[in-house]
Amino acid sequence: MFSRIDHIGVAVAELDQALALYRDTYQLNVAHREIVHEQGVEAVLLDIGEGHVELLAPLGADTPVGKFLAKKGPGLHHVAYQVTDIEGTLATLAATGVELIDTAPRTGIRNSRVAFLHPRSSGGVLTEIVQPAGEAH
Ligand code: CO
């Protein structure tokens, strides 16, 4: 069902401060930076092998990541698995009783299509599935 880990999402209060760690100290390459209004974040993707680290800074306190930061502070936010058929994967997961936050895909970073599964049915881990733009359906 899942082909690989696409990225891990890390909630940060401030992107430039986080980049000092991930880009400058860890020496990861910045692949992309984008404001994703639909998710209320500014996101930076850094390359690590074939996967990525996704830094997420909230656009406001009333966004999901803003609320996460207020409640838990900065840190690991979600894990994202890559899929090739996001609608089919969502249907299969729903049929097996997995609780979906998104019943239909939303637009993610770099025009990917994404959907989140509820941590209640994913072992306490907020889980995202991602179909990158241009992937065969
Ligand atoms: Co993500």
Side-chain angles (χ1 to χ4, degrees):
M1 178 176 294
F2 300 153
S3 51
R4 66 181 175 88
I5 290 177
D6 185 86
H7 63 267
I8 57 162
V10 179
V12 305
E14 215 276 303
L15 277 176
D16 287 323
Q17 194 180 358
L19 283 169
L21 177 65
Y22 284 89
R23 179 192 59 206
D24 303 338
T25 303
Y26 295 167
Q27 299 180 18
L28 301 183
N29 181 57
V30 173
H32 189 71
R33 182 167 181 158
E34 180 179 339
I35 292 175
V36 186
H37 288 287
E38 194 170 351
Q39 296 183 23
V41 295
E42 183 168 9
V44 170
L45 275 186
L46 301 110
D47 294 325
I48 178 72
E50 294 187 348
H52 301 92
V53 174
E54 179 184 71
L55 304 177
L56 300 166
L59 297 179
D62 58 346
T63 61
V65 174
K67 291 173 187 164
F68 177 93
L69 282 175
K71 194 170 165 188
K72 299 185 176 174
L76 276 179
H77 183 261
H78 65 271
V79 60
Y81 297 99
Q82 188 173 312
V83 300
T84 53
D85 174 9
I86 194 165
E87 280 93 353
T89 303
L90 283 172
T92 302
L93 290 168
T96 54
V98 173
E99 188 178 347
L100 308 177
I101 293 175
D102 302 306
T103 52
R106 298 190 280 160
T107 302
I109 194 169
R110 290 202 289 199
N111 287 317
S112 59
R113 298 166 72 227
V114 307
F116 283 89
L117 317 182
H118 202 288
R120 268 197 296 268
S121 24
S122 48
V125 179
L126 179 59
T127 300
E128 178 184 5
I129 58 175
V130 182
Q131 182 175 338
E135 283 285 307
H137 188 79

